[in-house]
Amino acid sequence: MAQHPTGHSHDAHGDSHESHGSLKSYVIGFVLSLVLTIIPLVAVLNDIVEGTAARVVLLVTAVLQFVVQLFFFMHLREEKKPRWNLMALILGLVIVLTIVIGSIWIMTYNAVA
Amino acid sequence: MDKIKDFASDFFVTGDPLIYGADVAIVLVTVAIVAVLTYFKKWGWLWREWLTTVDHKKIGIMYILAALLMLFRGGVDALLMRTQLIMPNMDFLKPEHYNEIFTTHGVIMILFMAMPLMFGLFNIAVPLQIGARDVAFPVLNSLSFWLFFMGAMLFNLSFVIGGSPNGGWLAYPPLTEKMFSPGVGQDFYIWGIQISGIGSLMTGINFIVTILKMRAPGMTLMKMPMFTWSVLASSLTIILAFPILTVTLALLFIDRFLGAHFFTLDGGGNPMMYINLIWMWGHPEVYIVILPAFGIFSEVVATFSKKKLFGYTSMVFALMSISVVSFFTWAHHFFTMGSGANVNAFFAISTMIIAIPTGVKVFNWILTMYKGKISFKTPMLWTMGFIPCFVVGGMTGVLLSVAPADFQFHNSYFLIAHFHQVLIGGVAFGYFAGLYYWWPKMFGFSLNEKLGKWAFWLWNIGFYVCFMPQYVLGLMGMTRRYSTYGWDTGWFGLNLVSTIGAFLMGAGFLFQVWQILHSIKFMEKDTTGDPWDGRTLEWSIPSPAPMYNFATDPQVREVDDWWEEKQRLASGGAPRPKPALEPIHMPKNSGMPFIKATFWFIAGFGFVFDWMWMAIPGLIGVAACMLAHSFNYDTDYYIPVDEIERTEAAARRGV
Amino acid sequence: MANQGNHAVAGAHGHDHGHGGHHDLEALRQMGFWLFLITDCILFGTLFATYIVLHNNTAGGPTASELFEMPGVIAETFILLTSSFTSGLAVLCMNRGSRKGLIGWLIVTAILGASFIGLEVSEFIKMVDEGAKISTSAFLSGFFTLVGTHGLHVSVGLCWMVALMIQLGKRGITSVTKRKVNVISLYWHFLDVVWIFVFTIVYMMGVM
């Protein structure tokens, strides 16, 4: 952990919140998001993929789009160390997945019609 | 006229002498408070010094006062229940009344006693331990308190207005759906908890940012005091768990209010989903309250053994791993629901795994005491009382985690005894230790040790007398929430013993009240700022701490920096040069939190009674407060150097 | 760990630093907001879990594939995605110091957000008219609550954005308003991300 013994060096103070995004990164992000929205629309609504394969396509494109937005819109990559925001996000996502998958698993045998 | 009469007999709870007594008491106390404040012209003082304060130390004191009040109410509930169960076929409480009392006892003890007592100690100790001048978001901190307070008041109001909730502390549907609980008690439950829950969530965020970002120069994470670590672990668990509670209660409310079918028996609803969701919050919740207690014990055991805490690093890993693993054990609360063998096996094993880091901690505390110079002051007594109690409570927990065996123990008094043993023996003993430990820092005087020892022994002995018989009762087949039992059950003797134990704990509480009053009267002033010969930064400043806490930034070099500094000075080291004073930047007081929380109260009350004419203006008020706060840019000021000098000189004169 | 200094109002180091003193206070607030977003993630996660568990329980009422009309939903999706992009452009203008551009792009974002809400409300009204109400079945309870909570978030964001535009008009781009713009654009991106999953899990998986 980089420690600033005096603790008062001003340059150390978090400009972590400055958004460093450029027009280019926003445009790339936007285009990628559009593509990742159109792919599942075309593939699933036209029945190019079906059943489990369709679900996989849907979820993969959704997750990819999430990642795109994190990187190109929310500038998660530019966070300074220590990366508290990233750590908090990962932990939060682990819990979200636990809630969703755990509920599905536990409720499998408890379903009501 | 008849309409008004009908309304009044529905609106006010009637028909029970206990309640009329409470009505009279509430009116008298309110009149007395108003009269005293008016007579002594203290309204302005109350508003300026307390209602609008953003000082973490004062907010901490308010939390603790409110929590002790709630401890009294929850405790009276417990004694009423134990009186009802003292012998078979008792007619002291009617079954409906008994249902209400076990519900309010549970809710109040966990959510309106343990939580605020914990937040009070967070507020008192954390900024001082890390050498900060306040928490990261002081106004938000005040808002958290007032939301808790208004939520608690809303919940408690159900005792005299509308009727108490009676569906158990976690309000399982379908019993708590409109069809089976048409009264307003359940809505009081939902809104009381919801409003205070928002406050808890924000406290979690506040303390994470405070701890990660506002530590004194030189205090790396691995040089933080252990209590601060435990607060970080607990706050992390809060922000990950409380949103689940918010959603779960909101869904139950939508069921009741809009006729939705999340947890109903008809329309495709599934009550078991509620049980699944509520325990996803409920299990982490018990770790939320126990982790800070672990932190307190770590501070106390090191201070009163005059030794460094044994196994600092392993303690940190134990705390953090418990906070994360606690999210993977929730289904052990409903092994009998029938989720299949795989689910039960997984959650049984994850539950057993939690025992490992907990065991690590127990060994660390014991090894800290080993060869230490132990002084048996009250905080240390509570710590030493805690260790055996928590070990037994923890091990009965491991017994319960064995899924097939749990089919026998489930919801029996064995379970009741288990969780009271970890919650009283762990959480309550821990917070008492913390309260005694930091009391001089909070108020500038110490508590009487002799009365404190009486209180400790009454609590400690009373605990075992009360709950050990309950393990046996559970194995004999006594199920929780029975309002009465017959002579043929053979449960009389043990229940009698248990009730005697409960009253011993009640006597312990009275001794604590006496102890506080006695100590206020005979005021043993703490003039040193360091009455226990402490180890961490909070003991390096006067008691009570000046409003800005630290006149200059403390520089931290190692774990237990204050202790090491004292050792260095004692062995002839030169004192560190004092940096020059600078004006201190402080947040201004704000009336917004109190007003906004009041609007929440109004909205909540409106929703409870389906009075939209009241709920909607309440919500508009909340939104208006948010906007007003957003447009307010005049939020801080500076304390000039000469005022700091005067304050410091006055504090040193006391020394 | 860069220590942020030891101050009640974190980061203010005394008079001489003047405005810069607010700098890391704003960083703290931004971190606090990020943590709030994490809690919001969990809130939505819980709603998703409930929806997924209950989505087959239609209790004789309409099913997802009978009910959802994709053209409207697809329009909502592209509108919200575009507004996420324009809120980013607002931040870019702010970093360049252009108040006009900043407020302009915020207005565009707000208009897109409002049309998203308009579409969603008309979709809901139509469903209720067809007899698909929140009280019809567990599936619809879950649907209205999940999608409605997202819509509520967007609406709150809209009010907030208007309040912020007024503040920007009055005070210009300062460290405080800058943080507020950064925070609201983060919030807006977050709502877009949540919508992606609503779109995928509720609508696309509902009609396929």
Side-chain angles (χ1 to χ4, degrees), chain C residues 65-150:
Chain C
S65 50
E66 290 164 17
L67 207 57
F68 297 154
E69 288 177 8
M70 287 314 279
V73 176
I74 294 168
E76 284 172 43
T77 306
F78 284 110
I79 288 172
L80 203 62
L81 183 56
T82 312
S83 81
S84 189
F85 176 60
T86 57
S87 81
L89 295 181
V91 172
L92 279 183
C93 283
M94 178 181 75
N95 289 345
R96 276 207 318 271
S98 154
R99 170 155 69 162
K100 249 191 192 156
L102 164 59
I103 296 180
W105 282 119
L106 282 182
I107 291 174
V108 174
T109 308
I111 290 173
L112 287 170
S115 32
F116 169 86
I117 290 294
L119 279 175
E120 186 164 86
V121 169
S122 62
E123 181 200 347
F124 278 15
I125 291 174
K126 196 155 168 259
M127 285 186 187
V128 173
D129 280 347
E130 287 167 4
K133 288 181 287 209
I134 194 168
S135 54
T136 306
S137 66
F139 153 64
L140 283 166
S141 303
F143 167 79
F144 280 113
T145 307
L146 170 58
V147 182
T149 305
H150 177 266

Side-chain angles (χ1 to χ4, degrees), chain B residues 11 177 245 307 310 428 549 650:
Chain B
F11 188 69
E177 291 285 356
L245 175 70
K307 272 180 69 189
F310 184 90
N549 297 351

Side-chain angles (χ1 to χ4, degrees), chain B residues 122-190:
Chain B
F122 281 19
N123 270 288
I124 296 294
V126 169
L128 299 182
Q129 283 202 322
I130 62 173
R133 293 212 166 106
D134 207 320
V135 293
F137 313 116
V139 177
L140 190 73
N141 194 27
S142 155
L143 180 61
S144 292
F145 170 74
W146 287 111
L147 285 176
F148 146 71
F149 183 81
M150 293 296 173
M153 289 304 110
L154 189 62
F155 183 86
N156 277 278
L157 207 57
S158 67
F159 185 53
V160 289
I161 290 179
S164 296
N166 56 8
W169 86 280
L170 282 184
Y172 280 8
L175 175 62
T176 51
E177 291 285 356
K178 204 90 185 167
M179 188 188 282
F180 305 105
S181 295
V184 294
Q186 211 49 56
D187 299 303
F188 271 117
Y189 171 96
I190 291 171

Side-chain angles (χ1 to χ4, degrees), chain B residues 131 212 267-268 553 585 630 633, chain C residues 1 4 6 12 57 138 141 167 180:
Chain B
L212 290 183
D553 288 345
H585 196 191
S630 172
Y633 279 66
Chain C
M1 173 73 214
Q4 300 293 325
N6 175 31
N57 300 4
S141 303
Q167 290 174 33
K180 290 187 177 182

Side-chain angles (χ1 to χ4, degrees), chain A residues 8-31:
Chain A
H8 276 187
S9 48
H10 253 262
D11 50 336
H13 289 160
D15 25 346
S16 54
H17 70 291
E18 298 279 349
S19 291
H20 304 284
S22 63
L23 184 62
K24 201 175 131 200
S25 78
Y26 277 108
V27 171
I28 295 173
F30 187 49
V31 171

